[in-house]
Amino acid sequence: MAYDPTAPTESERSLAYYMVGVGAAANAVLLSAQLVPLPSWIAHGCILAVAASLLVAILSSRNDDYFRHISFVASRFAMGVIAIWFCLEAIIHAGNGAELVGILAAGGQSGGNPTAGPKDWFASETLAVTVAMAFHIRFFFKRYRR
């Protein structure tokens, strides 16, 4: 096998896996922050760690083929989660639209609370944290599955 001066060293490969692991831990903290508020400095630090881990996994071209393959599989899985998320959001909002038509047909009388709904769970921050967590889960599932 010929010498490749651009091939990643063992320490560079270990650092890439370590960065993705730190990002997964920070992502778990952010996911729990959807239910329990965190101080802003912790949340912002976790957001930076998740962003760094995703950038290392997706944009790094100095990693070996195995790392890039795992990143590709995890990225595909994360895109599938986005597709399912958008389908659920469309179905739920179509149901809310049907409720609005029913309210208008009933002469403007609503039987429930019109402000209650799934809008908080479909916020962009929740979507981002969930998709990043899906990426990290699939990344480590692919890496450690035997």
Side-chain angles (χ1 to χ4, degrees), residues 8-60:
T9 64
E10 184 65 33
S11 64
E12 289 173 334
R13 282 190 300 237
S14 296
L15 182 62
Y17 287 115
Y18 177 75
M19 279 297 300
V20 175
V22 167
N27 203 352
V29 171
L30 283 176
L31 196 60
S32 69
Q34 297 298 312
L35 301 173
V36 178
L38 287 177
S40 63
W41 63 274
I42 293 176
H44 293 296
C46 289
I47 289 169
L48 283 174
V50 171
S53 74
L54 293 174
L55 288 174
V56 164
I58 300 299
L59 299 179
S60 179

Side-chain angles (χ1 to χ4, degrees), residues 119-131:
K119 61 183 176 186
D120 292 334
W121 288 102
F122 286 107
S124 60
E125 180 184 345
T126 306
L127 173 63
V129 170
T130 304
V131 170

Side-chain angles (χ1 to χ4, degrees), residues 2-9 12 62:
Y3 172 71
D4 184 10
T6 63
T9 64
E12 289 173 334
R62 282 201 32 96

